[in-house]
Amino acid sequence: EPEVTQTPSHQVTQMGQEVILRCVPISNHLYFYWYRQILGQKVEFLVSFYNNEISEKSEIFDDQFSVERPDGSNFTLKIRSTKLEDSAMYFCASSELSQGGGSGYTFGSGTRLTVV
Amino acid sequence: GENVEQHPSTLSVQEGDSAVIKCTYSDSASNYFPWYKQELGKGPQLIIDIRSNVGEKKDQRIAVTLNKTAKHFSLHITETQPEDSAVYFCAASTTDGDDKIIFGKGTRLHILP
């Protein structure tokens, strides 16, 4: 069964450093998302991406965050200057259609980001 | 924006019994309601979903019901098994071009031997 692949599985970084979280969505999917989950809390929407541009972003997704699809396969989330409160599990997801088509999301296994 | 409330936060049931998880949503425009199961160290996995033109949907031991008037939807797991132990998230979404889904806070389900 096709999978969404995320790397690395765990990233430890110093406060103020930049991190890039990487995702390889399912190959025929067109819609891409980043969500985050602070330990023990709900899964929160960060950003959606379609047709090489951001289609929606949440209040969490401020100027320190950016997303990119640098080639035909990778989808990255960059955090420019990490803060302690950025420590969370970050999930990438992709879907073949928008929710208008109702295909549901496929999530990756996540990257656990720890900011020290 | 949409707000999804989920109860209970923790649920323990004897193996073989049924488990019910309930959610409410606030945005009457929401019309797609997926349920996700998250096992330890893994990403959420879609287990079943329901659209607003349907009141109930069943897939083997799992069923979802939707009451659009009351803005309630529920997950029912019958004949629970140890492998059902996980965190379950309900979610809601609209299909009007805003394609993000909003999650509830999750229910940690423990199946007791």
Side-chain angles (χ1 to χ4, degrees):
Chain A
E1 191 169 324
E3 288 183 343
V4 173
T5 305
Q6 287 186 245
T7 54
S9 56
H10 192 187
Q11 172 97 41
V12 181
T13 189
Q14 295 272 349
M15 191 168 57
Q17 295 296 305
E18 174 182 288
V19 294
I20 298 176
L21 310 182
R22 301 181 193 280
C23 171
V24 179
I26 293 172
S27 60
N28 65 331
H29 284 189
L30 301 176
Y31 296 80
F32 313 110
Y33 311 88
W34 283 99
Y35 281 75
R36 83 170 182 193
Q37 184 179 30
I38 294 170
L39 188 64
Q41 297 188 25
K42 68 160 75 175
V43 180
E44 299 174 292
F45 170 76
L46 291 178
V47 66
S48 57
F49 191 88
Y50 170 70
N51 202 25
N52 284 320
E53 60 183 24
I54 290 173
S55 47
E56 187 171 358
K57 58 185 180 180
S58 72
E59 314 83 62
I60 303 168
F61 194 89
D62 61 23
D63 291 343
Q64 65 163 149
F65 291 92
S66 62
V67 289
E68 201 175 37
R69 190 157 158 80
D71 53 43
S73 59
N74 290 286
F75 179 51
T76 61
L77 174 69
K78 182 191 289 185
I79 310 175
R80 251 177 284 281
S81 178
T82 50
K83 305 179 205 137
L84 294 176
E85 54 266 35
D86 294 328
S87 295
M89 189 74 122
Y90 288 80
F91 291 107
C92 173
S94 68
S95 65
E96 186 176 1
L97 304 169
S98 74
Q99 294 313 320
S103 56
Y105 294 3
T106 300
F107 281 86
S109 294
T111 293
R112 180 168 298 285
L113 176 65
T114 303
V115 183
V116 297
Chain B
E2 176 63 277
N3 182 47
V4 178
E5 298 287 340
Q6 183 171 350
H7 301 279
S9 56
T10 307
L11 178 61
S12 296
V13 300
Q14 290 292 138
E15 183 178 346
D17 288 351
S18 296
V20 180
I21 301 170
K22 298 184 179 182
C23 290
T24 60
Y25 61 99
S26 61
D27 188 349
S28 55
S30 289
N31 53 11
Y32 174 65
F33 306 93
W35 286 86
Y36 286 82
K37 176 182 181 182
Q38 186 179 27
E39 295 173 321
L40 196 63
K42 297 185 179 179
Q45 183 179 19
L46 179 70
I47 54 171
I48 196 166
D49 56 15
I50 191 168
R51 299 196 169 280
S52 59
N53 56 348
V54 173
E56 184 173 354
K57 183 176 176 180
K58 193 171 180 183
D59 182 3
Q60 299 182 354
R61 296 186 297 109
I62 295 174
V64 291
T65 58
L66 172 65
N67 182 331
K68 236 183 128 31
T69 305
K71 300 200 195 79
H72 291 172
F73 57 117
S74 301
L75 177 73
H76 304 251
I77 306 174
T78 58
E79 299 171 25
T80 52
Q81 299 169 5
E83 54 266 34
D84 295 330
S85 293
V87 179
Y88 291 81
F89 291 96
C90 62
S93 175
T94 63
T95 57
D96 60 356
D98 173 358
D99 61 2
K100 67 178 185 288
I101 61 173
I102 301 300
F103 285 84
K105 287 190 175 180
T107 296
R108 183 170 296 281
L109 176 62
H110 299 275
I111 306 302
L112 305 171

